[in-house]
Amino acid sequence: MSGAAARRTGLVRRPPGGLLFVGLLALLVVVIVLSFGIGPLRIPPGDVVHVIAHKLGLVDAGSLSQRDISVVWNLRVPRALLAVIVGASLAMAGAGLQGLFGNPLADPGIVGVTHGAALGAVGAIVIGATAFGAWTIPVAAFLGGAATTTLIYVLARPDRGTGTATLLLVGIAIAAACSAAIGFFTYIADADDLQSLVFWQMGSLAMANWNSMLAALPAFALGAVALRALATPLDMLALGERQAQHIGLDVKRARLMLIAVCALLVGSAVAFAGVVGFVGLVVPHFVRLLAGPGHRWLVPLSAVAGGLLIVVADTAARSLDPPSEIPLGLFSAALGAPFFLWLVLRRKGAA
């Protein structure tokens, strides 16, 4: 069908999802490699590639300095990879929550899921919990995210006639309650934890290393595979819970699985990067404009686009004011808040 014919029939021609995925993935790889050389210490792209090839055992070190090797391999490579994991997790969770609630304004930060995960992590840090060893903070963040997601869904369930206003009000109330509890934990924290807690609440990847990246990887991989497997149930839920049940979907089971998967993704992201808002709102909307609403491609494309966004934001955060770092959450808020306001006004105008 020609472009003119598509416009006359009201159809929107979009590029194939596979082509978009390959294009975004190639762009992500280029941005990641460029980010390895950007920072207070500038390293040419050729030297960056040389360092990576050397660490992979493909070439000798040659004229590379140990300083450049250490900066690229020990600091910037794991940080960029963790940024991809965090961005992809938040973006996929946003797409999943929007499908679960049947509401395009659902976002882990806006509806309070991020705050619940943050409360779990902050509480574990302040009370010194060690029940799960190195996994204590991620587990606490997951439990906090799962609890808030369940509570929000019970109070703002789509088939109970609740609309955008109810979802936002419930999210605001839960986020405020979690913020108050986080404030209390911050108040009683000792001096050693206080500075890191405050900076952690604004989002940061400053503490990223190979251990944290490898610790975040299993939860991300499990959540990504599970959410991709739930693409068809998400498409069915878009018809409404009753309609989805009539065509054979076990709605209760699908809801529980979506809550668990989204909480796992948000909890792992919050545990390793702190509070980074609006990624789950902005990225799925951007991807829908490119690929349409089908979750078969919405989920993986959101993952790549979310990773791309956080890699760019984190590179700017550590490069604009050296040697200090700007909190990552400030970049995401500066991008997401105007977009959220535009989206609300657009929906109001449409109504």
Side-chain angles (χ1 to χ4, degrees):
M1 181 182 295
S2 66
R7 287 191 294 271
R8 286 195 299 270
T9 58
L11 298 176
V12 178
R13 298 187 64 184
R14 295 186 173 95
L19 182 62
L20 284 172
F21 183 81
V22 171
L24 280 176
L25 187 62
L27 180 60
L28 174 61
V29 171
V30 171
V31 170
I32 289 175
V33 173
L34 291 177
S35 73
F36 294 160
I38 299 175
L41 174 64
R42 298 277 176 165
I43 301 176
D47 289 353
V48 169
V49 174
H50 193 176
V51 169
I52 296 174
H54 167 62
K55 283 296 183 177
L56 294 177
L58 301 178
V59 297
D60 295 330
S63 60
L64 292 173
S65 67
Q66 288 301 315
R67 180 197 63 179
D68 289 353
I69 294 174
S70 179
V71 167
V72 171
W73 188 254
N74 296 328
L75 298 179
R76 294 181 182 174
V77 172
R79 179 165 180 161
L81 296 179
L82 184 59
V84 173
I85 291 174
V86 169
S89 297
L90 293 174
M92 286 191 297
L97 288 173
Q98 289 167 16
L100 174 65
F101 289 106
N103 196 314
L105 294 181
D107 168 78
I110 295 173
V111 301
V113 180
T114 300
H115 293 80
L119 175 58
V122 168
I125 292 172
V126 174
I127 67 176
T130 58
F132 298 95
W135 289 94
T136 300
I137 295 176
V139 169
F142 165 72
L143 294 176
T148 50
T149 305
T150 303
L151 181 59
I152 294 164
Y153 190 85
V154 169
L155 297 176
R157 185 169 167 179
D159 276 12
R160 290 183 177 174
T162 57
T164 299
T166 302
L167 174 63
L168 294 180
L169 290 174
V170 169
I172 290 170
I174 291 177
C178 291
S179 295
I182 291 173
F184 171 75
F185 279 120
T186 304
Y187 174 74
I188 65 174
D190 57 35
D192 293 335
D193 293 332
L194 186 59
Q195 184 175 359
S196 61
L197 277 180
V198 172
F199 195 70
W200 182 83
Q201 291 173 44
M202 292 188 287
S204 173
L205 292 170
M207 302 303 293
N209 53 42
W210 282 108
N211 290 333
S212 60
M213 191 279 293
L214 293 174
L217 186 59
F220 163 70
L222 178 61
V225 171
L227 191 59
R228 178 60 180 80
L230 291 168
T232 299
L234 281 169
D235 288 337
M236 297 169 73
L237 285 173
L239 303 173
E241 288 192 359
R242 292 183 180 179
Q243 290 81 353
Q245 193 160 6
H246 287 325
I247 59 178
L249 178 66
D250 186 342
V251 173
K252 182 177 180 180
R253 180 172 177 271
R255 286 200 313 258
L256 292 175
M257 291 182 66
L258 283 168
I259 289 172
V261 171
C262 291
L264 176 64
L265 290 169
V266 175
S268 62
V270 169
F272 294 102
V275 178
V276 182
F278 292 105
V279 178
L281 175 71
V282 174
V283 173
H285 276 279
F286 169 74
V287 172
R288 284 191 188 93
L289 294 176
L290 294 177
H295 289 84
R296 176 172 174 264
W297 284 112
L298 178 61
V299 170
L301 287 172
S302 293
V304 179
L308 177 63
L309 175 63
I310 295 301
V311 170
V312 172
D314 182 61
T315 302
R318 59 182 170 80
S319 303
L320 293 180
D321 187 28
S324 301
E325 288 195 13
I326 302 173
L328 180 60
L330 298 185
F331 281 91
S332 63
L335 172 67
F339 180 84
F340 177 65
L341 181 60
W342 170 80
L343 191 59
V344 171
L345 294 176
R346 181 188 177 195
R347 289 175 61 83
K348 179 181 178 182

